Amino acid sequence: MHFASLAAICAAVSAPFLSTRLVNGISLTPEGRVFLVFQRVDNSTGLTIVEYNRTTNTSTAYPNAVWNNYTSGADPGSNFVGANAQRIGPDGNLYVVDTGQVGGSGPVLLPYGPKLLQINVTTNTVTRIYPMGNATSSSSHLDDVRFHNVTGKAYPTDAGYPGLIVLNLASGDTRRALSNDLSTREYMPASATCYTPWLEVLPDGQWLYYEPSSGGMSRIETKWLDGAFYNSTLNDNSILDRYVQPFAHTPSTGDTAIDAQGNVYNSDIDSQRVVKINPNVDAMWIDRNGTLWMPANQLNRGTGYNNGTSRIVKPLDIFTIHIGIGPSPINHA
Ligand SMILES: *[C@@H]1O[C@H](CO)[C@@H](O)[C@H](O)[C@H]1NC(C)=O
Ligand SMILES: *[C@@H]1O[C@H](CO)[C@@H](O)[C@H](O)[C@H]1NC(C)=O
Ligand SMILES: *[C@@H]1O[C@H](CO)[C@@H](O)[C@H](O)[C@H]1NC(C)=O
Ligand SMILES: *[C@@H]1O[C@H](CO)[C@@H](O)[C@H](O)[C@H]1NC(C)=O
Ligand SMILES: *[C@@H]1O[C@H](CO)[C@@H](O)[C@H](O)[C@H]1NC(C)=O
Ligand SMILES: *[C@@H]1O[C@H](CO)[C@@H](O)[C@H](O)[C@H]1NC(C)=O
Ligand SMILES: *[C@@H]1O[C@H](CO)[C@@H](O)[C@H](O)[C@H]1NC(C)=O
Ligand SMILES: *[C@@H]1O[C@H](CO)[C@@H](O)[C@H](O)[C@H]1NC(C)=O
Ligand SMILES: *[C@@H]1O[C@H](CO)[C@@H](O)[C@H](O)[C@H]1NC(C)=O
Ligand SMILES: *[C@@H]1O[C@H](CO)[C@@H](O)[C@H](O)[C@H]1NC(C)=O
């Protein structure tokens, strides 16, 4: 993994109101409080998780200065070593994903460095630490997380040793799923040399949508992932990957968001646009004849292959390919 490329590419999705630091994540509470991640991709010191005040335009260490003050040799379990993502969970808490890697790209400080933190935004205190040492390895890069509010599961992603992690939020138990599977690794040459799977859980909780940053979106029903806790057969990737469905030939992406109707918004880092994917009208992407509709994203003309300069020629075409799998009838409104 070449972290410098991550900085160059992901900078395209930085929040415009802050240009001095690389912002790799923003989340807002329902009341409008803003939390940001400043990535330390250059091993810079300084704040990494902050609350941003939109009135004064100032950033304050969050939840406090001590968590933001990791220095070599300090306890990696009680500091942000390499905070990579944060988001407000369905329970209203702020969750922070820490790679456990100094600067986000150094050695993984196992077992307590890689972790998910739960922070109560009312008391501004860390209320729970979920160590990810049992679900990560020395090649891991804990990247992001999504939640399922009904089953009480969270799904951290591993972008270094590619795979999904299923976390039982009540017990803290973890299982890995689809490690090094084609769907979590790559379907096609990446224009981004960085490697950042993201994933989304749809509001109905039935499906988990995910893709590596190189593009190619897959989905799996969450019940199969969650089954890994009680059904050891499902810990076998060759069995679990039978439940993986190719979903959309998405372009290389920087990040995504999902709305209440289940529309997935996928940032296209090659052409600087946002692609909207509506899972209720799968015909846009997978029609009933098993045809996958896909945008031609000109990956070979992207920044990753051209020393940081995009040679994308517009307009971009949309092609189709027959994949022989139709849309799920369950997924139609
Ligand atoms: C932002 O700063 C202003 C001025 O100090 C303060 O009144 C306000 O409460 C702050 N907002 C947040 C969300 O902290
Ligand atoms: C904060 O930033 C906004 C947008 O750039 C600007 O309009 C406003 O004047 C700034 N406020 C302060 C107190 O600097
Ligand atoms: C940050 O770490 C340095 C070096 O260990 C220490 O001197 C300082 O007191 C710490 N500051 C905070 C706010 O924890
Ligand atoms: C950051 O520090 C870590 C640990 O010392 C090192 O492995 C890594 O190469 C450094 N990264 C950069 C970009 O200097
Ligand atoms: C956060 O702490 C406050 C005060 O103790 C409590 O009322 C609230 O329920 C907590 N929030 C969550 C999401 O647990
Ligand atoms: C790993 O799992 C074992 C057994 O459940 C537990 O005792 C240990 O604390 C876990 N380690 C980490 C780093 O989570
Ligand atoms: C989960 O979220 C949905 C959508 O916001 C909501 O309707 C439902 O009540 C939530 N369920 C639980 C158990 O929190
Ligand atoms: C475990 O998973 C396998 C593979 O999908 C399935 O055939 C079996 O019925 C499952 N067993 C239980 C107890 O759910
Ligand atoms: C499927 O193929 C049939 C036969 O070519 C065609 O009539 C029909 O319109 C196609 N349906 C879709 C959804 O493309
Ligand atoms: C990128 O730069 C290297 C070193 O200058 C050069 O060898 C290579 O041909 C360049 N690649 C492209 C696609 O321009």
Side-chain angles (χ1 to χ4, degrees):
M1 189 177 61
H2 304 281
F3 221 85
S5 297
L6 178 61
I9 289 163
C10 297
V13 295
S14 293
F17 53 81
L18 282 163
S19 58
T20 52
R21 300 281 305 273
L22 173 67
V23 177
N24 193 45
I26 179 167
S27 62
L28 282 80
T29 65
E31 296 75 33
R33 289 172 68 187
V34 180
F35 300 99
L36 304 173
V37 184
F38 294 137
Q39 270 203 337
R40 293 174 177 161
V41 287
D42 52 358
N43 280 349
S44 59
T45 55
L47 304 182
T48 183
I49 298 290
V50 299
E51 178 165 4
Y52 183 76
N53 186 315
R54 285 184 284 178
T55 306
T56 59
N57 299 338
T58 53
S59 300
T60 315
Y62 198 82
N64 56 45
V66 177
W67 271 96
N68 276 273
N69 191 41
Y70 177 78
T71 47
S72 182
D75 172 18
S78 56
N79 292 267
F80 297 131
V81 180
N84 197 61
Q86 46 85 17
R87 63 194 297 114
I88 304 289
D91 56 5
N93 288 310
L94 180 72
Y95 288 85
V96 176
V97 177
D98 190 340
T99 62
Q101 297 170 271
V102 176
S105 62
V108 183
L109 302 180
L110 290 167
Y112 294 110
K115 57 192 175 291
L116 178 69
L117 296 181
Q118 181 191 71
I119 302 172
N120 182 313
V121 297
T122 305
T123 58
N124 302 320
T125 53
V126 174
T127 42
R128 184 141 183 191
I129 301 171
Y130 295 98
M132 289 291 128
N134 285 336
T136 48
S137 71
S138 58
S139 59
S140 285
H141 178 72
L142 204 63
D143 181 68
D144 208 345
V145 66
R146 294 294 185 271
F147 299 90
H148 191 313
N149 73 336
V150 177
T151 63
K153 301 290 192 304
Y155 302 96
T157 54
D158 188 340
Y161 170 37
L164 307 179
I165 297 167
V166 188
L167 166 66
N168 181 327
L169 286 163
S171 68
D173 286 348
T174 52
R175 296 286 185 280
R176 283 188 68 94
L178 300 169
S179 296
N180 256 329
D181 187 73
L182 187 63
S183 64
T184 55
R185 213 161 16 101
E186 57 183 333
Y187 278 117
M188 51 191 177
S191 82
T193 51
C194 62
Y195 207 86
T196 316
W198 53 265
L199 51 83
E200 302 283 351
V201 183
L202 276 182
D204 73 0
Q206 184 184 354
W207 297 97
L208 186 80
Y209 290 77
Y210 63 97
E211 71 173 353
S213 61
S214 56
M217 187 187 290
S218 303
R219 67 177 181 177
I220 185 168
E221 287 187 78
T222 52
K223 67 178 179 186
W224 299 117
L225 287 174
D226 298 352
F229 278 108
Y230 55 83
N231 186 341
S232 58
T233 310
L234 292 170
N235 284 318
D236 181 339
N237 274 355
S238 66
I239 291 175
L240 189 57
D241 78 7
R242 290 178 202 158
Y243 300 104
V244 173
Q245 297 181 0
F247 184 66
H249 193 113
T250 46
S252 294
T253 189
D255 198 12
T256 62
I258 191 165
D259 72 17
Q261 278 84 48
N263 296 307
V264 175
Y265 299 85
N266 186 2
S267 75
D268 176 347
I269 59 179
D270 289 331
S271 57
Q272 306 297 309
R273 62 181 180 161
V274 173
V275 180
K276 180 176 174 180
I277 305 164
N278 185 335
N280 294 319
V281 285
D282 280 0
M284 279 185 67
W285 295 90
I286 304 174
D287 70 24
R288 286 175 184 254
N289 288 349
T291 299
L292 178 71
W293 295 68
M294 59 184 190
N297 46 33
Q298 303 181 23
L299 283 173
N300 58 323
R301 296 175 182 157
T303 52
Y305 287 114
N306 294 284
N307 291 340
T309 305
S310 172
R311 300 183 194 284
I312 300 282
V313 178
K314 296 178 184 179
L316 287 84
D317 294 313
I318 295 176
F319 296 115
T320 59
I321 187 171
H322 188 69
I323 58 170
I325 304 170
S328 166
I330 303 165
N331 204 36
H332 276 276

